[in-house]
Amino acid sequence: MEKLTFYALSAPEKLDRIGAYLSERLIRDVGRHRYGYVCIAMEALDQLLMACHCQSINLFVESFLKMVAKLLESEKPNLQILGTNSFVKFANIEEDTPSYHRSYDFFVSRFSEMCHSSHDDLEIKTKIRMSGIKGLQGVVRKTVNDELQANIWDPQHMDKIVPSLLFNLQHVEEAESRSPSPLQAPEKEKENPAELAERCLRELLGRAAFGNIKNAIKPVLIHLDNHTLWEPKVFAIRCFKIIMYSIQPQHSHLVIQQLLSHLDANSRSAATVRAGIVEVLSEAAVIAATGSVGPTVLEMFNTLLRQLRLSIDYALTGSYDGAATLGTKIIKEHEERMFQEAVIKTIGSFASTLPTYQRSEVILFIMSKVPLPSLHHPVEMGKTGENRNRLTQIMLLKSLLQVSTGFQCNNMMSALPSNFLDRLLSTALMEDADIRLFVLEILISFIDRHGNRHKFSTISTLGDISVLKLKVDKCSRQDTVFMKKHSQQLYRHIYLSCKEETNIQKHYEALYSLLALISIELANEEVVVDLIRLVLAVQDVAQVNEENLPAYNRCALYALGAAYLNLISQLTTVPAFCQHIHEVIETRKKEAPCMLPEDVFVERPRLSQNLDGVVTELLFRQSKISEVLGGSGYNSDRLCLPYIPQLTDEDRLSKRKSIGETISLQVEVESRNSPEKEEREPAEEITYETLKKAIVDSVAVEEQERERRRQVVEKFQKAPFEEIAAHCGARASLLQSKLNQIFEITIRPPPSPSGTITAAYGQPQNHSIPVYEMKFPDLCVY
C-alpha cells in the first residue's frame, strides 16, 4: 500500500487507471462473494483518496463512487455499511477542483431507503439505519455549499431526505425504552439513530438559505399529515422546535407562513388535527418572536381569527359543508370547542412576546373584527345568525382579553384610543351577560398597570386597606387628559352595567375592581368626586328600584357602594369622610347586614326581601359627603349634583329593550339633495327632557326677539337723524368693503397674450387687452 501510494503521488496521471483497475477487481470479487478482497480494495481506495489531492482526482472519484454504489446495491448489510463509511470519508474531503457532471441522485435514494430499513435483527437494523443517516449527512455536506453540484434543495431530493430523518426521529421513545445500564449509556448513545437523525436535521436546516426554507419545511408538513402525527402533537411540536432553533433567526417568519398556509389548507380537517397545527404554531411563534417575525404578525392573527369563525360555523351547522347532509362528516362540538380554545391560547401566547406598538395594532385589529349591532357594522339576523354573532363576539373578546393581559402602556391615550374604546364600550351594553363580563375584564387589564388587580378580586369592607399593599402612583398629565376626554363615557357604561338584571357575582366583582383601579391609576380630585357621585347614583338605583331589580341585585348594589366608598374614603384620607362611611357600615352590620358585601358576595347570600323602606341611617348621604369633602378642598358644588348619565345612540344600537327611564323616539334625517350616497348620520334622539328643554328655550328666544325689536323701533323713533344716518352708512360701507374683498379673491382677469408686466413689489400682474387691440404676428394675417 505504501508503494502504491508513493507511485500514485509520483505519477498522478495514473490515478484514473489505478481506480479503474481496483473498481474492476472489486466488482468481480463482489460477484464471486470474495468479501475479503472487497474489503482490501475499498481500503486501498480510501487511502489513495485521502492521500491524493491533485487536479486529476476527478476521474479517480468516478471509479470510487461506482464502487461505493456497487456495495450499496448489495443485499449484505456489512457491504452496505462498508460502502457508507467510505462515502462519509470521501464527503469530508475538500476537493481542489470542481466537478461539473457528478450526480448523487442514486446515493440520496439509496441512503433514504437504508434509513427505513426493516431488517429482522434489531442490531443490524439499527446499524443500517445509522449508516443511511450518515450517508445522507455526507451527501448534504458534499453538495449543499457547492453551486456546481446538483441542487440538494430541490423538492425531489428534500422529499426523500427529510422524511427519512423524521422517520428515525419518531422512534426515539422506543430507543430510550430499551436503553441499557447507565454505565453503558454513553456508548449506546452514539448508536442511537434518533439522536443522529436530529443532529443531521439540525445541520441540514442550519445550512438552508432564504430561498430553500420552503422546500425543507414542506416535506415535514406532509410527513406529519401522512402519519397522522398532529393529533398527539408531541412529536410535531418537537420537530418544529428543532426547526426553529436550527434555522437562521431572520428566516423564522418563513416557517410561520408555511404553518399558516398549512392551517388554511386543512381548514376542513378534523378539529383535533387543526388544534395540533395551532399548538405547533403557538410554540413556533413564541420562538420566532425572539428573532424576526417580519410582516407575518397581522397575517398570523388574521388567519387565526378566520379559523375561529370557520370553527364556529362548523359547530353550528354540524358539518364542513354548511349543511348536514348524507355523506358529510359529522363534527363533534366539544372538539371544535377545544380547537377554539387552542386558537385563543395561541393568540395570547404570541401577542405576549410582541413589543407594545405591535400589540396595540393587534388589539385594534381584533376589535375591528368583532360584529357589533350598529348602522355601520350590521349583524346577521335570525336565530342561527344571532348564535353565530354571539359566539363570534365571545371568542373574539376572549382573544382580546388574552392579548390585553399583561399589556403595559404608560399612556392611556395610546392604550385605549377613541375608536377602540367606542367599539369596546358599545359591546358593554349588550344583553348577553358573558359579553359584558369580558368587556369589564378587558378594561381592567388595560387600566391595571401596577399589578393591583388581584388585590380587589374579593369585595369587602376592610377597616385598614394598608394590608392590601397597594402600589399607588401619581396620576400623570396624559392620564388626566384621557379622563377629561373619556371619563363620562366610562362612568355611563359602569352605571348602566350596574342596572343589569342578569348580573351575577362575577359582574359585581369586576365592577368593583374597575372602580378601584380607576381610583388608583387614573384619579385626580375631579375624578374622585365624579366616582363618588356615580356610586351614590348606583345606591339610588337600588333604593328607588325603578328597574324592578330582584332582591339579590339590589343588595349587591348596596354592598358594592359600601365597599367602594370604604376604599375611596381611606384613599382620600379625609377623617370626617372616613368617619361617615364607617358609621354607616357599622349601622348596616347591626341592622341590615344584607347590604354589606360580606353577606351578599358569598356562596349562599343572606338577603332581605323587604328593601323598600330603607332608613336614612343605612344610606350614604350625598349632602353629608359633599359637606365633609368640601371642607377639605374638594368641589362641593359638583358633589351636590346627582349623577345622571346621558343616553346616546349606543343604547339603540345595542339591542336593549329599555335603557334608563326614558322611552325614546328615533328620528332619522337623510339628505335628499346630494346626488352622491353619503354616510347616514346617527339618528337624533328625542326624549321628554329634550322636548321640555326645547319648549322652555323657544319661549325664552321669543321674549329676547321681542325685546330686540322693541329696542330697534324705539331707537328709530327717538334717536336724531344724524345718528341713524351714520349707523346705516357704516353698515353699508362695511358691506361694500366685504364685497370688494370677495370680488378681489374670486375674480381674476384673463391672461393677456402680450405677456405680463411686473407690479411694484416684483409680483407679475396680468393685464387684459381687448381683442381688437391685440397685435398678432404677420403669419396669422390672411
Side-chain angles (χ1 to χ4, degrees), residues 686-717:
I686 301 176
T687 64
Y688 170 78
E689 291 294 332
T690 56
L691 288 172
K692 180 180 176 182
K693 185 178 178 181
I695 293 171
V696 174
D697 290 347
S698 63
V699 173
V701 169
E702 288 178 1
E703 289 179 357
Q704 291 177 2
E705 184 66 20
R706 280 198 298 269
E707 179 64 22
R708 191 183 66 81
R709 289 180 179 178
R710 188 189 62 77
Q711 291 177 358
V712 171
V713 171
E714 184 179 356
K715 180 178 180 180
F716 274 87
Q717 287 177 345

Side-chain angles (χ1 to χ4, degrees), residues 108-132:
V108 172
S109 301
R110 184 57 185 151
F111 289 138
S112 300
E113 186 180 343
M114 291 169 65
C115 288
H116 292 82
S117 174
S118 56
H119 199 278
D120 295 335
D121 191 327
L122 179 62
E123 187 175 354
I124 294 175
K125 180 175 71 174
T126 301
K127 289 181 178 180
I128 294 174
R129 287 186 179 183
M130 290 190 67
S131 295

